[in-house]
Amino acid sequence: MTGTSRRWLRLLVVASAGTVMLVACAPSSSTTTSSPKAGGKLTVASWQEQDSLLACNITAAASHTCAYINPAMEGLLTVKANQDPLTTNPKLSDYWVPELATEVPTLENGDVKVSVNKMDVTWKLRHGVNWHDGVAFTSKDVKATFDFWWLKYRDKNPTPLLSTSGWDQVDSVDTPDEFTAIIHFNTVYAAYLTLGTGPYGVLPEHLLQQVWAKTGDITHDKVTVSIPGGYSGSDTLDKVMVGTGPFMFKEWVTGDHLTLVRNPHWWGAGGRPYLNEIRVKFDADANTELNDLRTNTVDMALDLRPSLLPSLSRQSDVTTVTILDSAAEHLDINLHNTFLKDVALRKAILMAIDRQRIVDTLLLGRTVVPPDAWMCIQTGAWCLDPNAKHTPYDQKAANDLLNTAGYKLQTSGPCKGFRTDPQGRCVQLHLITTTLPLREEQEVVIASDLAGIGIQIIKPFANVPASRMFGSCTGGGVIYSHNFDLAMYTNNYSYPAEPDSLAYTAYHSSQIPTDANGCAGQNTTFTSDPQLDQALDQARLSVKLGDRRDKYIVAQRRLADVIPEIPLYQAVDVEAYTKKLGGYKGNEFWWMNQSADWYISQ
C-alpha cells in the first residue's frame, strides 16, 4: 500500500469539465457554492435493483440497497463524508457522527466501561425524534433492535439474517429511561460501534411487535403502515420501510423506480431536507446510467466504473467523484472444490493473473493492487502489516510450481493444452460474476492468464444478475450457497476503520453459511483455519488499537498463507451528478448519505 494509506489519508478525486482535482479531507472546490434553497426533485440512477430492501446488511450485503434506503433509515451513528477532515492518527470513533444518539460512546467520555472481561456501552439518545408514521422514537426501539438481532431468538431467528456476528456478544439491554440504552456485553467487544449504526441501525419497535405476534420473520409477515404523505398499506418490511430519516418511503415499483419524499418533521435543523423528492431509477447497467446522465434523464448516477471516466470527462455539466474504497474486487475460491483445496494450485493462480495489467488497462490506472491479505486497507490501514506480502505476477514461477506439484500439461487427449492434477483429472474451473461489462472484460483477461499456466476456465461464463449472485443461501444465492468454483465480486468493510466488520464474517470458521445455521455468515470460501480463528477472536478482546493491531497482523500473515481468495485491485467508487445539485459530499460506505443537505441550485 502507499504511504498515504498508512497516514490515514482519505482520497477523493473530483473531475469537472475535463479537469481532475485531488481532494484530501477538504470540501470539493467544484461543488456548487450557492445558498441552499428548498424544493425540487432529484432522480438517481442505480443499476443493481435488489429483491429486498433488507438486502442492506440484514439479509444480504448490497451497496445499492443501502444507498436508496439510506435517506430514510437511520442508526445511532452515521459516518463522516470523505471530504470531512480527520485528526492526525484518528481513533475509530473519529469516523462517526451522532445521528439518533447524541454522542459517540468511548472510554474517554465514560460511555464505555470495561470490567475485567465484560463491557457496558451507554447510548444517550436524541429527544424529539419520531418515526415516519408519527410514533415517538425511544430507547424501546434500541432494545427491540438488539432483541431482533440476537436476544429474542438467539441463533434460531425466523428471519434469514446475513450474520449475527457481534450481536451475539450482547448479554442484555437496559433502558433506565426513554433516552438511555445500556448495552451489556458478555465479553469485551472491540467493534461495538458497528452495532445499531448506519442504515437500518435501529428498527421500529412497534412494527417489530406486529411481526413478533406472527411468525417473527420480517421478510414474511406483513405489517400495517401509515405514513402521512408517504406509503399507506400492508406489506412485509422487505418491501416497505418506516424510518426516522430526512426522507420517507412512498413507493417501490419493481423494475422501474423507488420514490422517497421529504419528511417535514425530521429532527434535523436548518429547514432540511431541502429536496421535496428523491426518485431512484433502476437501470440495466452502468452504461445505461451514463446515457441517462448524458440526456438529463437522471441527475445522479451511482456506482459507475473507472472505464467510463473518459466519457464522463467530456460532459461539461457533470461533476464526477472517484473514491478509493476500503474494499477489494477479488476472486472467492471455493476451498471445497476438488482442485482448489490444493494450496499449490491457489498460489499458482495468484501468481498467474496480471492484476496490474487489469488496473492499467480496464481501470485506467485509478487504483492499486492490494496486499495478498487485504483486510487492513484504506480506512483500516491502522492495522496493516508493515511487511505485508505482495505476490508479483510471474507466470514462469506459477508453471514451475505446478510442475513440481504434479500437475502435468497435456499435449494430446481430452485435456490437450491444459493440465491434469496428480490423479490425472483435467483441471477445469467455472468462473462466475455479475452481468457487468467491466467484470465480463476482467473474466476474459483472467481466463487468458490462467490458460497460460494450463488451467482451463470453462466457457461460456455462467454470469448472473446481482440479485442472484448475492441472494441468501435459502433463496439460492450463488456465493452464500457456495455454488461456485471461482466467484468475482467486490467485498468491503461494512463500517469505517473496522476490520472486524469484514475479516471476522468473511474468514472465521464460525461464519460459514450452512443450512444448519440458517445461512448466517459471509465466509463463502469455506475458510477454516484454527490459527486464523484465534487471531480474529483475540482482535476483538481489546478496545485499544495497539493490542488489536498485533492480532490483525497475525491474521494477515495467516491469510496470505491460506489464500482463500485472490485480490485483484482496491475497489473504486465512481459517482457523477449534474451541476445543478448542491450540498453533495462523497461517502464510500453508504452512498446517498447526508442527503438532507442536497439542494437544487438552478
Side-chain angles (χ1 to χ4, degrees):
M1 295 298 295
T2 63
T4 52
S5 290
R6 294 193 181 99
R7 292 194 299 270
W8 298 69
L9 188 65
R10 296 187 295 170
L11 299 182
L12 179 146
V13 176
V14 177
S16 179
T19 302
V20 177
M21 293 160 283
L22 185 64
V23 181
C25 301
S28 164
S29 60
S30 68
T31 300
T32 305
T33 57
S34 60
S35 299
K37 55 184 178 181
K41 300 179 181 180
L42 192 80
T43 301
V44 181
S46 165
W47 61 267
Q48 263 194 34
E49 182 183 14
Q50 299 295 310
D51 294 334
S52 168
L53 297 176
L54 300 175
C56 177
N57 297 330
I58 294 183
T59 59
S63 297
H64 282 251
T65 309
C66 288
Y68 46 81
I69 65 107
N70 197 11
M73 303 302 298
E74 296 180 313
L76 295 167
L77 307 174
T78 188
V79 293
K80 286 185 176 180
N82 279 64
Q83 294 104 311
D84 291 341
L86 286 170
T87 59
T88 303
N89 298 318
K91 302 181 294 295
L92 300 193
S93 58
D94 292 331
Y95 280 86
W96 294 96
V97 178
E99 198 165 53
L100 294 177
T102 59
E103 64 185 24
V104 182
T106 64
L107 283 171
E108 292 77 10
N109 63 23
D111 291 340
V112 177
K113 297 185 184 301
V114 175
S115 176
V116 190
N117 61 345
K118 293 189 177 183
M119 182 173 77
D120 294 337
V121 176
T122 297
W123 289 97
K124 299 171 182 176
L125 307 178
R126 193 177 296 278
H127 293 229
V129 178
N130 288 330
W131 294 96
H132 293 152
D133 57 5
V135 176
F137 161 75
T138 71
S139 57
K140 289 182 180 179
D141 299 300
V142 178
K143 183 180 186 306
T145 300
F146 281 81
D147 286 343
F148 164 75
W149 278 100
W150 182 253
L151 296 175
K152 185 174 180 65
Y153 294 110
R154 304 282 166 166
D155 58 353
K156 305 298 183 184
N157 202 311
T159 300
L161 299 176
L162 177 64
S163 173
T164 58
S165 176
W167 302 95
D168 59 0
Q169 304 301 301
V170 176
D171 189 57
S172 63
V173 177
D174 285 339
T175 54
D177 58 57
E178 289 189 340
F179 304 106
T180 307
I182 304 173
I183 316 301
H184 302 289
F185 287 84
N186 55 33
T187 185
V188 177
Y189 180 58
Y192 67 93
L193 289 176
T194 65
L195 304 181
T197 52
Y200 279 131
V202 179
L203 300 171
E205 185 261 355
H206 61 289
L207 296 185
L208 288 176
Q209 291 292 354
Q210 290 188 39
V211 175
W212 289 337
K214 301 174 185 177
T215 72
D217 182 351
I218 66 174
T219 70
H220 175 270
D221 301 328
K222 291 186 177 182
V223 297
T224 300
V225 172
S226 180
I227 302 174
Y231 174 87
S232 290
S234 295
D235 213 326
T236 54
L237 285 174
D238 64 342
K239 302 301 180 186
V240 300
M241 53 183 163
V242 177
T244 57
F247 291 90
M248 309 183 300
F249 176 75
K250 183 176 182 179
E251 65 175 358
W252 178 11
V253 179
T254 304
D256 191 74
H257 71 276
L258 180 147
T259 302
L260 304 172
V261 295
R262 184 178 186 272
N263 177 8
H265 306 295
W266 186 53
W267 54 265
R272 299 174 300 155
Y274 301 117
L275 295 172
N276 289 333
E277 178 180 296
I278 297 176
R279 183 176 183 266
V280 180
K281 178 180 182 290
F282 299 120
D283 278 343
D285 52 46
N287 287 317
T288 305
E289 283 191 18
L290 176 62
N291 187 61
D292 280 350
L293 195 65
R294 183 185 294 119
T295 59
N296 296 315
T297 305
V298 302
D299 306 300
M300 177 183 289
L302 301 177
D303 197 21
L304 298 170
R305 298 290 148 160
S307 57
L308 297 178
L309 287 172
S311 296
L312 286 165
S313 68
R314 293 191 288 271
Q315 308 305 308
S316 61
D317 59 345
V318 169
T319 298
T320 303
V321 177
T322 303
I323 306 171
L324 275 178
D325 287 347
S326 307
E329 179 85 351
H330 72 292
L331 295 177
D332 259 6
I333 299 174
N334 188 333
L335 300 183
H336 282 191
N337 175 273
T338 299
F339 306 113
L340 294 171
K341 64 177 63 175
D342 184 358
V343 70
L345 182 61
R346 302 198 298 273
K347 187 173 183 180
I349 291 173
L350 175 61
M351 289 190 290
I353 300 173
D354 192 347
R355 296 173 289 167
Q356 189 60 51
R357 180 161 65 100
I358 291 175
V359 168
D360 293 340
T361 57
L362 300 184
L363 288 106
L364 307 182
R366 298 297 178 125
T367 186
V368 295
V369 176
D372 294 355
W374 61 273
M375 56 178 281
C376 291
I377 62 173
Q378 206 60 20
T379 61
W382 61 268
C383 64
L384 181 65
D385 181 358
N387 298 307
K389 187 175 182 181
H390 292 75
T391 295
Y393 168 65
D394 191 337
Q395 285 217 333
K396 181 181 183 304
N399 275 304
D400 290 345
L401 174 61
L402 292 175
N403 290 336
T404 301
Y407 290 85
K408 296 181 179 179
L409 190 63
Q410 301 300 309
T411 57
S412 62
C415 303
K416 182 179 179 180
F418 296 100
R419 291 183 184 269
T420 53
D421 72 352
Q423 286 72 46
R425 297 167 295 193
C426 297
V427 180
Q428 297 176 320
L429 300 171
H430 286 280
L431 172 58
I432 192 168
T433 189
T434 59
T435 51
L436 178 70
L438 174 61
R439 288 196 172 120
E440 291 170 348
E441 292 179 88
Q442 290 169 186
E443 279 181 314
V444 173
V445 173
I446 291 168
S448 175
D449 283 347
L450 294 185
I453 62 168
I455 305 300
Q456 183 179 9
I457 297 297
I458 297 170
K459 297 178 182 177
F461 304 119
N463 298 335
V464 295
S467 58
R468 173 75 190 287
M469 185 78 163
F470 305 115
S472 68
C473 71
T474 55
V478 171
I479 58 172
Y480 297 122
S481 300
H482 313 285
N483 190 22
F484 65 89
D485 300 334
L486 299 170
M488 180 166 54
Y489 63 98
T490 295
N491 205 359
N492 55 277
Y493 277 34
S494 299
Y495 304 93
E498 185 45 77
D500 187 82
S501 69
L502 165 86
Y504 193 91
T505 58
Y507 308 126
H508 197 283
S509 63
S510 68
Q511 300 299 300
I512 298 173
T514 64
D515 291 337
N517 69 9
C519 294
Q522 294 176 269
N523 183 343
T524 57
T525 61
F526 288 110
T527 300
S528 182
D529 182 83
Q531 290 177 256
L532 179 58
D533 282 354
Q534 182 181 40
L536 294 175
D537 285 334
Q538 291 177 343
R540 289 180 151 196
L541 299 179
S542 175
V543 292
K544 296 179 180 178
L545 291 189
D547 294 342
R548 299 185 71 198
R549 181 186 297 112
D550 293 342
K551 304 304 184 296
Y552 281 134
I553 288 174
V554 173
Q556 289 167 78
R557 292 176 180 175
R558 189 59 191 152
L559 276 170
D561 290 338
V562 174
I563 317 176
E565 61 188 13
I566 310 294
L568 299 174
Y569 53 83
Q570 187 172 344
V572 182
D573 278 342
V574 178
E575 298 180 23
Y577 57 92
T578 60
K579 291 184 177 178
K580 71 178 184 180
L581 174 65
Y584 169 90
K585 288 184 177 180
N587 186 283
E588 68 163 284
F589 291 97
W590 303 307
W591 308 323
M592 294 173 64
N593 209 38
Q594 298 164 307
S595 57
D597 296 328
W598 295 356
Y599 62 93
I600 302 298
S601 62
Q602 300 175 8

